[in-house]
Amino acid sequence: MEGQLTNRELRIQKKIKDSETHVFKAVFPGQTNHHNTMFGGAVMYIMDEIAFMTATRFCRKPIVTVSSDKIDFNHPIPAGTLVELIGTVVRVGRTSLDVRVDVFVESMYREGREKAMTGTFTLVAINESKRPVPVFDEVEE
């Protein structure tokens, strides 16, 4: 039957939905540079942290970051604003998965928000010996 998802694909879709991670942070002056905007490295740090949380929630195994794609800083993140980071699994491989992290910035005292940046991180599930293991356990049908 063309167009129908397999049981495995349905389980993966459910895990993707259930593992989507939303985190809010306030940007304080100690996190900003001399332009009063958040340090790029500080943003990348929390993006990687959200990718880690999302991947862990998906596979429930020890996980490590192995790479990140290009991250464009499209909108500055000033001190005194809120940021929302949203992690979503966008690719599931055998031992790795990709997590897209979208970063939105909003004023604390006005409505509305703007996407500041997006990045994709590749993470790998590992065992006690730090060797790759499957991110998705097959279940007998």
Side-chain angles (χ1 to χ4, degrees), residues 1-7 9-10 13:
M1 293 189 177
E2 215 173 297
Q4 283 192 323
L5 297 176
T6 66
N7 220 0
E9 291 167 332
L10 289 170
Q13 278 190 351

Side-chain angles (χ1 to χ4, degrees), residues 37-95:
T37 59
M38 195 167 188
F39 280 112
V43 179
M44 291 167 55
Y45 172 87
I46 58 175
M47 289 175 78
D48 184 35
E49 188 176 32
I50 301 317
F52 166 80
M53 285 187 237
T54 305
T56 300
R57 294 180 69 212
F58 178 88
C59 68
R60 300 297 177 178
K61 296 179 180 183
I63 202 105
V64 294
T65 302
V66 294
S67 70
S68 64
D69 282 348
K70 180 179 175 189
I71 299 172
D72 290 322
F73 296 83
N74 296 320
H75 188 286
I77 302 174
T81 57
L82 300 173
V83 290
E84 179 183 15
L85 298 101
I86 303 172
T88 307
V89 173
V90 293
R91 183 195 64 83
V92 178
R94 194 179 80 71
T95 61

